[in-house]
Amino acid sequence: MSGKTEVVVYANPELLAAAVAARLVTRLVDLQAAKGSASLVLTGGSTGIAVLDQLRRSPARDAVDWLRLDLYWGDERFVPADDDERNEKQAREALLDHVPVDPKRVHAMAPSDGEFGDDVDAAAAAYARVLADNARPEDHGDVPGFDIMLLGLGGEGHTASVFPESPAVYETERSVVAVRNCPKPPPTRISLTLPAIRRAHDVWLLTTGEAKADAVALALSGAGEVQLPVAGARGQRRTLWLVDRAAAGKLSNVYLPPTA
Protein backbone atom coordinates (compact mmCIF):
# COMPACT_ATOMS: atom_id res chain seq x y z
CA MET A 1 0.00 0.00 0.00
CA SER A 2 1.35 3.45 -0.87
CA GLY A 3 0.41 6.84 0.46
CA LYS A 4 -0.34 10.13 -1.20
CA THR A 5 1.84 11.66 -3.90
CA GLU A 6 2.82 15.33 -3.88
CA VAL A 7 4.86 17.44 -6.29
CA VAL A 8 6.80 20.53 -5.23
CA VAL A 9 8.49 22.61 -7.92
CA TYR A 10 11.41 24.96 -7.30
CA ALA A 11 12.65 27.65 -9.63
CA ASN A 12 16.17 26.26 -10.06
CA PRO A 13 18.53 23.56 -8.72
CA GLU A 14 20.15 25.85 -6.16
CA LEU A 15 16.84 26.79 -4.56
CA LEU A 16 15.76 23.17 -4.60
CA ALA A 17 18.88 21.98 -2.75
CA ALA A 18 18.54 24.67 -0.09
CA ALA A 19 14.81 24.12 0.37
CA VAL A 20 15.10 20.35 0.57
CA ALA A 21 17.87 20.69 3.15
CA ALA A 22 15.60 22.92 5.25
CA ARG A 23 12.68 20.53 4.82
CA LEU A 24 14.90 17.63 5.86
CA VAL A 25 16.03 19.36 9.06
CA THR A 26 12.44 20.10 10.01
CA ARG A 27 11.27 16.56 9.37
CA LEU A 28 14.18 14.93 11.23
CA VAL A 29 13.69 17.20 14.24
CA ASP A 30 9.97 16.37 14.29
CA LEU A 31 10.66 12.64 14.06
CA GLN A 32 13.24 12.73 16.83
CA ALA A 33 10.91 14.74 19.05
CA ALA A 34 8.12 12.23 18.46
CA LYS A 35 9.98 8.95 18.84
CA GLY A 36 13.54 9.67 19.97
CA SER A 37 15.39 8.74 16.80
CA ALA A 38 15.03 8.80 13.02
CA SER A 39 16.27 6.90 10.00
CA LEU A 40 17.35 8.38 6.69
CA VAL A 41 18.38 6.70 3.44
CA LEU A 42 20.86 8.75 1.43
CA THR A 43 21.28 8.97 -2.32
CA GLY A 44 24.19 9.93 -4.52
CA GLY A 45 24.07 12.03 -7.64
CA SER A 46 24.54 15.75 -8.05
CA THR A 47 21.20 16.77 -6.54
CA GLY A 48 21.38 14.43 -3.55
CA ILE A 49 24.90 15.55 -2.66
CA ALA A 50 23.99 19.21 -3.19
CA VAL A 51 21.26 18.78 -0.56
CA LEU A 52 23.80 17.38 1.92
CA ASP A 53 26.17 20.24 1.16
CA GLN A 54 23.40 22.75 1.83
CA LEU A 55 22.54 20.94 5.04
CA ARG A 56 26.15 21.23 6.21
CA ARG A 57 26.04 24.98 5.57
CA SER A 58 22.66 25.50 7.23
CA PRO A 59 22.58 27.28 10.58
CA ALA A 60 19.73 24.93 11.49
CA ARG A 61 21.77 21.75 11.06
CA ASP A 62 22.56 21.49 14.78
CA ALA A 63 18.86 21.22 15.56
CA VAL A 64 19.20 17.60 14.44
CA ASP A 65 20.50 15.17 17.06
CA TRP A 66 22.99 13.46 14.78
CA LEU A 67 23.79 10.82 17.39
CA ARG A 68 20.18 9.61 17.19
CA LEU A 69 20.06 9.22 13.42
CA ASP A 70 20.41 5.94 11.53
CA LEU A 71 21.85 6.39 8.05
CA TYR A 72 21.60 4.00 5.12
CA TRP A 73 22.18 4.17 1.37
CA GLY A 74 19.77 3.30 -1.42
CA ASP A 75 22.58 2.19 -3.70
CA GLU A 76 26.33 2.33 -4.06
CA ARG A 77 28.91 2.19 -6.81
CA PHE A 78 31.00 -0.94 -6.25
CA VAL A 79 34.37 0.78 -6.34
CA PRO A 80 37.23 1.14 -3.81
CA ALA A 81 36.52 3.03 -0.60
CA ASP A 82 38.58 6.06 -1.63
CA ASP A 83 37.13 6.31 -5.15
CA ASP A 84 35.60 9.73 -5.81
CA GLU A 85 32.59 8.04 -7.47
CA ARG A 86 31.59 6.31 -4.26
CA ASN A 87 28.34 7.67 -2.82
CA GLU A 88 29.52 7.17 0.75
CA LYS A 89 32.70 9.17 0.17
CA GLN A 90 30.74 12.02 -1.42
CA ALA A 91 28.24 12.04 1.45
CA ARG A 92 30.99 12.09 4.06
CA GLU A 93 32.76 14.97 2.37
CA ALA A 94 29.54 16.92 1.91
CA LEU A 95 28.07 16.40 5.39
CA LEU A 96 28.83 13.37 7.53
CA ASP A 97 32.43 14.29 8.34
CA HIS A 98 31.17 17.64 9.65
CA VAL A 99 28.47 16.47 12.08
CA PRO A 100 28.70 14.17 15.14
CA VAL A 101 27.12 11.02 13.71
CA ASP A 102 27.40 7.74 15.61
CA PRO A 103 29.66 5.48 13.49
CA LYS A 104 27.64 2.45 14.59
CA ARG A 105 24.53 3.99 13.08
CA VAL A 106 26.10 4.79 9.70
CA HIS A 107 25.35 1.74 7.57
CA ALA A 108 27.46 1.96 4.42
CA MET A 109 27.58 -0.65 1.68
CA ALA A 110 30.87 -2.49 1.29
CA PRO A 111 33.44 -1.13 -1.20
CA SER A 112 35.19 -3.33 -3.75
CA ASP A 113 38.36 -3.34 -1.63
CA GLY A 114 36.49 -4.14 1.60
CA GLU A 115 35.96 -7.36 3.52
CA PHE A 116 34.27 -9.11 0.60
CA GLY A 117 36.86 -8.08 -1.98
CA ASP A 118 35.43 -7.92 -5.47
CA ASP A 119 32.55 -10.30 -4.67
CA VAL A 120 29.66 -7.94 -5.26
CA ASP A 121 27.06 -10.63 -4.55
CA ALA A 122 28.53 -11.23 -1.10
CA ALA A 123 28.60 -7.48 -0.45
CA ALA A 124 24.93 -7.18 -1.45
CA ALA A 125 23.95 -10.14 0.74
CA ALA A 126 25.83 -8.59 3.67
CA TYR A 127 23.89 -5.35 3.31
CA ALA A 128 20.64 -7.30 3.25
CA ARG A 129 21.72 -8.77 6.60
CA VAL A 130 22.39 -5.26 7.94
CA LEU A 131 18.85 -4.27 7.00
CA ALA A 132 17.37 -7.40 8.56
CA ASP A 133 19.36 -6.88 11.76
CA ASN A 134 17.99 -3.34 12.08
CA ALA A 135 14.36 -4.19 11.30
CA ARG A 136 12.02 -4.08 14.28
CA PRO A 137 9.03 -6.35 14.95
CA GLU A 138 6.66 -3.57 13.89
CA ASP A 139 8.38 -3.43 10.48
CA HIS A 140 6.89 -6.86 9.67
CA GLY A 141 9.79 -8.05 7.57
CA ASP A 142 13.51 -7.96 6.94
CA VAL A 143 13.76 -4.27 6.02
CA PRO A 144 13.51 -1.34 8.44
CA GLY A 145 10.60 1.01 8.03
CA PHE A 146 12.83 3.90 6.98
CA ASP A 147 11.47 7.29 7.99
CA ILE A 148 12.76 9.12 4.90
CA MET A 149 14.36 7.76 1.76
CA LEU A 150 16.05 10.18 -0.61
CA LEU A 151 16.25 9.02 -4.22
CA GLY A 152 17.31 10.50 -7.52
CA LEU A 153 16.38 9.35 -10.99
CA GLY A 154 17.93 9.08 -14.39
CA GLY A 155 16.58 10.38 -17.65
CA GLU A 156 15.74 6.83 -18.72
CA GLY A 157 13.81 6.28 -15.50
CA HIS A 158 16.17 4.38 -13.21
CA THR A 159 16.21 5.04 -9.48
CA ALA A 160 18.78 3.81 -6.96
CA SER A 161 20.58 1.40 -9.32
CA VAL A 162 17.44 -0.30 -10.61
CA PHE A 163 17.46 0.23 -14.36
CA PRO A 164 14.66 -0.34 -16.89
CA GLU A 165 14.09 -3.99 -17.81
CA SER A 166 17.13 -5.08 -15.76
CA PRO A 167 17.16 -8.19 -13.54
CA ALA A 168 16.92 -5.93 -10.48
CA VAL A 169 13.56 -4.49 -11.53
CA TYR A 170 12.03 -7.97 -11.52
CA GLU A 171 13.34 -8.85 -8.05
CA THR A 172 10.57 -9.48 -5.55
CA GLU A 173 12.23 -11.58 -2.82
CA ARG A 174 15.57 -9.97 -1.95
CA SER A 175 15.95 -6.53 -0.38
CA VAL A 176 19.40 -5.84 -1.83
CA VAL A 177 20.94 -7.06 -5.08
CA ALA A 178 24.19 -6.85 -7.00
CA VAL A 179 23.81 -4.96 -10.26
CA ARG A 180 26.08 -5.62 -13.21
CA ASN A 181 26.41 -4.09 -16.66
CA CYS A 182 24.78 -0.80 -15.72
CA PRO A 183 24.22 1.33 -18.82
CA LYS A 184 26.07 4.21 -17.14
CA PRO A 185 29.42 3.88 -15.38
CA PRO A 186 30.54 2.46 -13.10
CA PRO A 187 28.95 -0.76 -14.37
CA THR A 188 28.88 -2.72 -11.09
CA ARG A 189 26.77 -1.57 -8.15
CA ILE A 190 24.75 -2.60 -5.12
CA SER A 191 21.14 -1.49 -4.85
CA LEU A 192 18.05 -1.75 -2.74
CA THR A 193 15.24 -3.33 -4.70
CA LEU A 194 11.86 -1.73 -5.31
CA PRO A 195 10.14 -3.81 -2.58
CA ALA A 196 12.78 -2.57 -0.08
CA ILE A 197 12.34 1.01 -1.26
CA ARG A 198 8.61 0.71 -0.69
CA ARG A 199 9.22 -0.08 2.98
CA ALA A 200 10.06 3.60 3.54
CA HIS A 201 7.40 5.74 5.17
CA ASP A 202 8.34 8.74 3.03
CA VAL A 203 10.10 8.59 -0.34
CA TRP A 204 11.53 11.89 -1.56
CA LEU A 205 12.43 11.92 -5.25
CA LEU A 206 14.88 14.70 -6.08
CA THR A 207 15.72 15.72 -9.61
CA THR A 208 16.58 18.69 -11.78
CA GLY A 209 17.06 19.44 -15.44
CA GLU A 210 15.20 19.21 -18.71
CA ALA A 211 16.73 15.79 -19.42
CA LYS A 212 14.62 14.34 -16.60
CA ALA A 213 11.31 15.91 -17.68
CA ASP A 214 10.06 12.91 -19.68
CA ALA A 215 10.80 10.46 -16.85
CA VAL A 216 9.09 12.69 -14.28
CA ALA A 217 5.99 13.10 -16.43
CA LEU A 218 5.77 9.39 -17.27
CA ALA A 219 6.22 8.31 -13.66
CA LEU A 220 3.47 10.64 -12.50
CA SER A 221 1.11 9.52 -15.25
CA GLY A 222 1.09 5.86 -14.26
CA ALA A 223 3.93 4.27 -16.22
CA GLY A 224 4.90 0.70 -15.35
CA GLU A 225 7.93 0.08 -13.17
CA VAL A 226 9.58 -2.47 -15.45
CA GLN A 227 10.05 0.12 -18.19
CA LEU A 228 10.36 3.02 -15.74
CA PRO A 229 11.62 1.79 -12.33
CA VAL A 230 11.20 5.18 -10.64
CA ALA A 231 7.45 4.71 -11.05
CA GLY A 232 7.74 1.88 -8.52
CA ALA A 233 9.47 4.03 -5.89
CA ARG A 234 6.62 4.86 -3.52
CA GLY A 235 6.44 5.65 0.17
CA GLN A 236 3.95 4.00 2.48
CA ARG A 237 2.90 7.36 3.91
CA ARG A 238 3.91 9.78 1.19
CA THR A 239 5.82 10.04 -2.08
CA LEU A 240 7.20 13.53 -2.48
CA TRP A 241 8.56 14.71 -5.82
CA LEU A 242 10.96 17.65 -5.35
CA VAL A 243 11.88 18.96 -8.79
CA ASP A 244 12.98 22.14 -10.50
CA ARG A 245 11.11 23.96 -13.25
CA ALA A 246 13.05 22.23 -16.01
CA ALA A 247 12.34 18.74 -14.70
CA ALA A 248 8.67 19.66 -14.24
CA GLY A 249 8.42 21.08 -17.74
CA LYS A 250 6.21 18.32 -19.14
CA LEU A 251 3.80 18.12 -16.22
CA SER A 252 0.32 19.52 -16.56
CA ASN A 253 -1.79 21.00 -13.78
CA VAL A 254 1.26 21.77 -11.62
CA TYR A 255 2.02 25.29 -10.49
CA LEU A 256 5.40 26.40 -11.78
CA PRO A 257 6.91 29.27 -9.79
CA PRO A 258 8.52 32.15 -11.65
CA THR A 259 12.21 31.73 -12.23
CA ALA A 260 14.18 33.45 -9.47
Side-chain angles (χ1 to χ4, degrees):
M1 183 176 179
S2 56
K4 61 183 178 180
T5 298
E6 300 175 33
V7 181
V8 183
V9 183
Y10 298 96
N12 57 56
E14 293 75 21
L15 286 175
L16 182 149
V20 173
R23 182 186 288 265
L24 191 55
V25 167
T26 300
R27 184 68 183 135
L28 291 175
V29 168
D30 287 348
L31 286 163
Q32 290 178 333
K35 59 192 188 78
S37 64
S39 57
L40 172 65
V41 183
L42 299 176
T43 184
S46 58
T47 304
I49 298 303
V51 169
L52 300 187
D53 184 69
Q54 287 287 337
L55 185 47
R56 183 188 80 242
R57 300 167 187 268
S58 170
R61 79 175 196 194
D62 294 332
V64 176
D65 186 342
W66 297 100
L67 291 172
R68 294 191 296 141
L69 181 65
D70 289 293
L71 292 161
Y72 301 88
W73 273 263
D75 73 326
E76 184 57 273
R77 289 89 178 265
F78 196 58
V79 293
D82 63 351
D83 193 304
D84 288 341
E85 291 202 66
R86 185 166 163 79
N87 291 337
E88 181 202 1
K89 182 181 181 184
Q90 294 178 21
R92 288 189 180 277
E93 291 175 347
L95 175 65
L96 303 186
D97 287 346
H98 308 276
V99 292
V101 292
D102 180 351
K104 294 179 182 177
R105 300 179 81 158
V106 179
H107 307 290
M109 295 177 174
S112 64
D113 58 352
E115 62 179 308
F116 307 105
D118 62 0
D119 188 343
V120 65
D121 292 295
Y127 204 70
R129 289 194 294 274
V130 168
L131 298 186
D133 289 346
N134 283 277
R136 302 157 301 178
E138 58 265 35
D139 294 325
H140 305 294
D142 58 359
V143 178
F146 308 113
D147 289 314
I148 304 169
M149 179 175 294
L150 305 180
L151 289 172
L153 63 140
E156 81 300 291
H158 85 268
T159 192
S161 284
V162 182
F163 287 83
E165 301 186 8
S166 67
V169 82
Y170 293 99
E171 181 63 52
T172 59
E173 300 296 326
R174 291 177 292 174
S175 60
V176 186
V177 292
V179 181
R180 297 176 174 83
N181 303 315
C182 288
K184 59 183 291 187
T188 306
R189 306 183 184 197
I190 301 169
S191 182
L192 268 59
T193 58
L194 292 178
I197 287 170
R198 290 193 285 262
R199 297 303 301 163
H201 296 290
D202 284 18
V203 168
W204 295 11
L205 289 153
L206 324 172
T207 197
T208 63
E210 186 178 356
K212 310 294 180 65
D214 282 329
V216 171
L218 286 169
L220 286 165
S221 63
E225 64 189 41
V226 171
Q227 287 75 33
L228 199 83
V230 71
R234 300 185 297 272
Q236 294 195 28
R237 188 181 80 96
R238 181 171 65 163
T239 305
L240 185 58
W241 287 80
L242 300 157
V243 300
D244 73 347
R245 281 181 58 90
K250 296 192 177 180
L251 295 177
S252 58
N253 302 318
V254 173
Y255 168 70
L256 301 180
T259 302

